[in-house]
Amino acid sequence: MDNPPALTVTDRAVLEFLAEHRIARANHVERLLGVSAATARGRLERLVSLEYVASGQIYHEQAKHYSITRSGLDVIGSARRATRVDQMGYRHDVGMAWVWLAARDGAFGELSEQISERQMRSADRRPSSAGAEGGERFGVRCIGLGRSGGERLHYP
């Protein structure tokens, strides 16, 4: 793509939301933007056609899911890694996007700050800072070893 079309403010909002979550579905974007289901799906499919978003379907008759691509992260200036869809964590990831939206909308009271799991993991990976303010990490140590033999962390 030599000259990709300019992103709208709404396109950026969708990409920034997707950057915070491993996956999202069209009904998440519908809630995020306050638009119809058809409008949300259309917006996502446009971003798929620009290769800023990937789509897929894990389970038969389950709604499509969407995730941000490396190009999508680049276009919004994010240094985060592109996400991988995790079949084992699919329901969790869909649910966490709903929790994030509910928190944003005040379901749990007034927010002073909203930090996604991806933000926490990214902060904990940075060698220059020890994670959260004051040198504390966001991840909570779990028993056992992680995928690559390192410590296993849970992010609330």
Side-chain angles (χ1 to χ4, degrees):
M1 233 181 296
D2 290 331
N3 287 319
L7 290 178
T8 66
V9 172
T10 306
D11 290 334
R12 287 189 69 81
V14 171
L15 291 173
E16 287 169 8
F17 177 75
L18 290 172
E20 297 302 325
H21 304 282
R22 282 189 199 95
I23 60 171
R25 297 191 317 197
N27 55 356
H28 291 122
V29 172
E30 182 181 344
R31 173 81 174 266
L32 174 75
L33 301 177
V35 297
S36 71
T39 299
R41 280 191 309 275
R43 172 83 51 187
L44 285 162
E45 291 303 327
R46 177 178 175 272
L47 293 170
V48 168
S49 73
L50 294 171
E51 299 180 1
Y52 295 147
V53 171
S55 67
Q57 189 174 12
I58 290 182
Y59 299 113
H60 179 66
E61 296 185 15
Q62 187 68 264
K64 262 187 186 182
H65 62 266
Y66 298 86
S67 57
I68 194 162
T69 63
R70 178 74 256 157
S71 296
L73 289 163
D74 288 344
V75 80
I76 62 169
S78 176
R80 286 202 181 98
R81 297 175 182 173
T83 59
R84 277 189 340 228
V85 177
D86 175 10
Q87 183 176 355
M88 298 300 290
Y90 176 81
R91 288 177 35 191
H92 173 270
D93 293 340
V94 168
M96 290 313 302
W98 282 121
V99 169
W100 190 94
L101 288 164
R104 178 205 66 166
D105 294 343
F108 309 112
E110 188 176 333
L111 291 178
S112 60
E113 185 176 15
Q114 192 168 8
I115 302 173
S116 71
E117 177 185 354
R118 284 181 46 86
Q119 283 176 300
M120 288 185 240
R121 286 182 183 277
S122 180
D124 281 358
R125 265 191 227 109
R126 276 186 231 122
S128 59
S129 71
E133 294 283 327
E136 294 180 29
R137 295 175 59 138
F138 288 109
V140 177
R141 178 87 167 98
C142 297
I143 296 172
L145 298 176
R147 288 182 184 169
S148 55
E151 67 182 340
R152 191 169 151 233
L153 300 172
H154 175 75
Y155 288 85

